[in-house]
Amino acid sequence: MTIAAAFVAGAMMLAGGGIAYADTLVAEDELLAGPNLQLGTVDCGQGLSATIDLKLRRQGNTPGGGGTDSPVFANSTAVSITKTSQSNVNASDPSPSTVTTPSNWVTSSTNTLSNAATSTITVDTTTAGSFTGTVSYRASGTNTKGGTHTDTVTLSVRWTVNSCTQPDTTAPVVTLTCPTDDVMLNSTASATWSATDETGFPSGAVTSGSVPLDTSTYGAATASVPAGLVTDAAGNPSAAQSCGYFVTEDIPPVVQVTCPTGEILIGAEVYGNWTATDEGGSGLKTAASGQILAPTTAYGPATLVVPAGTAEDNAGNTSAETSCDYFVTEKTPPVVELTCPTGPFLLGEAVPDAQWTAYDPSPGSGLAGADSGSIPVSTSSVGAKTLKVPAGAVSDVAGNTSLASNECSYSVVYDFTGFFRPVDMGGTLNSVKAGSAVPIKFSLGGDQGLGILDGAPTLKWIACSAGATVDPIEVTVSTAGGSSLSYDPLTNQYNYVWKTDKNWAGKCGTLQVKLNDGTTHTADFKLLK
């Protein structure tokens, strides 16, 4: 409440042997009674203040005073108005803080300035009882003698405050506390609450408890209690409250892996595929699928392992190790290598078997059977012979069979001896008359039949060397026809009758008898006239 009052504070002084009135500071308000400001009676807590006007009033126009002492402000002078003290009240500083007298102030018929400063006085009404306080103001400015004139007015402020018993309008305070640790998904958890009030609660009121938490969804969540959860004794309801908590989960993601299918060869670059699913509800933090290289370095059953921790969910749970099985095979056949004994061998001779070895090229599955063996070497007929291990003779564990081995060669020959006399060998020139028939005798270790020659013997011309040893053919054979071959079982010898030509007279040559075992036997001749 703002009130107003009227009061005039004056001062008298003697000047020039008579009574003169000095310029004074006047406080005006309708509630002023003398120096007392009566603010009256108010209810507890009701605002109470008064605004007063602070004015200059001239009570006469006699300058008076001796020297520079004069009780009258000079014309057109600035007079400052200030608050000098206050007690048990709160007064604002005068505004404006300076007022100016008119130019005819000393002689003017108007004795009160209209331009006043104001100050508002406010008192405390929060406590019941009767109270007093004071506030003083001062006016200061140049007087008519050039000195300084001041005047002070002090007000006594009085007021009364009725009983301060106030109604309770403060609501009770509810504190809601959520768990500080993470709570598990789909678990049973609660937040606790408690209530306090400055004046208290009705008898039997519930002032603490708990509320269930929603744990059905992973992540940050909020628990709350509604307004009016509790009411104090004055009927004031509590405000709504909330708190935050975090729902987590501890179920790791599940990774499933699919191994490569079909025929998987050693050394092939093949991959398995894996997929991850989140079982706990927090969602995957890492990729939901991927590939992993399957080892194919060795033949046989293999396991593809997806390591633990491949997948991680947003709750920090990681997947366990998982695996699948597959089979690595190979298509490389075993290799067989055959070695024949060194010949030549005589017809019918007993000789060592040809030897073979086998291996499975690395990387492979390994041999399923023996890694070596032998093949009989036949000498039942003469000629060049070849052997090989047939395809499929060796298998590996993967079921691959060998190709045919390499071929190896040997030869079987007659047990040749000769030529017998009358023919000499060893570089001797056998001289014979051209046109005669020469018996070429030799042994093959038995009767090998008459088909032993590989064509008719031939004569290859050579130079007649003057220094060569010449041995005459002592025996020739008369023949009505050409050359012929025969076998004599008594002597176990073959006899080839070689018919020379008269036209060869004077020449030298080498007789070449080529057998069907691949051997050639020779003797040198000089054909005479």
Side-chain angles (χ1 to χ4, degrees), residues 99-475:
V99 296
T100 303
T101 61
S103 59
N104 61 345
W105 171 248
V106 176
T107 60
S108 173
S109 59
T110 301
N111 63 355
T112 301
L113 288 181
S114 60
N115 52 339
T118 61
S119 176
T120 300
I121 300 171
T122 305
V123 297
D124 181 21
T125 62
T126 60
T127 305
S130 296
F131 303 93
T132 61
T134 61
V135 60
S136 297
Y137 301 95
R138 174 184 295 166
S140 178
T142 303
N143 62 21
T144 56
K145 298 292 186 158
T148 300
H149 173 60
T150 60
D151 190 61
T152 301
V153 59
T154 299
L155 303 181
S156 177
V157 183
R158 300 176 184 273
W159 71 98
T160 300
V161 180
N162 288 330
S163 173
C164 277
T165 301
Q166 299 292 330
D168 178 14
T169 58
T170 303
V173 176
V174 171
T175 301
L176 182 64
T177 303
C178 283
T180 55
D181 294 332
D182 294 349
V183 295
M184 284 296 168
L185 192 73
N186 297 319
S187 66
T188 300
S190 61
T192 60
W193 64 268
S194 62
T196 58
D197 187 74
E198 61 183 11
T199 60
F201 297 96
S203 176
V206 177
T207 58
S208 64
S210 63
V211 293
L213 299 181
D214 180 4
T215 61
S216 62
T217 304
Y218 171 86
T222 301
S224 62
V225 292
L229 178 66
V230 294
T231 303
D232 63 13
N236 299 304
S238 61
Q241 296 293 330
S242 63
C243 62
Y245 59 99
F246 195 90
V247 180
T248 190
E249 53 94 2
D250 59 358
I251 302 175
V254 173
V255 171
Q256 294 180 322
V257 61
T258 302
C259 277
T261 58
E263 189 174 65
I264 302 171
L265 298 179
I266 286 181
E269 183 177 318
V270 294
Y271 293 84
N273 297 304
W274 61 264
T275 57
T277 56
D278 176 50
E279 300 295 316
S282 61
L284 288 175
K285 181 180 179 181
T286 53
S289 62
Q291 286 188 323
I292 186 167
L293 183 64
T296 59
T297 56
Y299 171 85
T303 299
L304 177 60
V305 177
V306 179
T310 296
E312 181 181 359
D313 62 20
N314 288 311
N317 303 304
T318 56
S319 60
E321 179 183 288
T322 187
S323 63
C324 62
D325 297 324
Y326 58 102
F327 196 90
V328 178
T329 189
E330 52 99 1
K331 289 293 187 181
T332 304
V335 175
V336 177
E337 295 178 344
L338 178 65
T339 303
C340 284
T342 303
F345 305 110
L346 297 178
L347 180 67
E349 180 183 0
V351 298
D353 292 343
Q355 302 296 317
W356 61 262
T357 59
Y359 66 92
D360 195 33
S362 179
S365 57
L367 295 176
D371 62 357
S372 64
S374 62
I375 298 177
V377 175
S378 175
T379 59
S380 61
S381 62
V382 295
K385 311 293 182 180
T386 59
L387 290 178
K388 64 180 177 180
V389 180
V394 177
S395 298
D396 62 17
V397 175
N400 303 303
T401 56
S402 61
L403 303 175
S405 73
N406 60 294
E407 289 187 348
C408 67
S409 301
Y410 67 97
S411 63
V412 179
V413 298
Y414 298 116
D415 186 6
F416 177 88
T417 54
F419 299 128
F420 300 120
R421 294 192 66 81
V423 175
D424 292 321
M425 301 183 66
T428 300
L429 280 174
N430 295 278
S431 62
V432 65
K433 184 177 180 179
S436 62
V438 180
I440 307 297
K441 297 180 181 181
F442 56 90
S443 174
L444 297 182
D447 185 1
Q448 309 301 335
L450 297 180
I452 61 169
L453 295 179
D454 184 10
T458 59
L459 184 64
K460 181 180 179 182
W461 302 115
I462 59 174
C464 293
S465 174
T469 300
V470 179
D471 186 16
I473 294 293
E474 297 86 356
V475 178

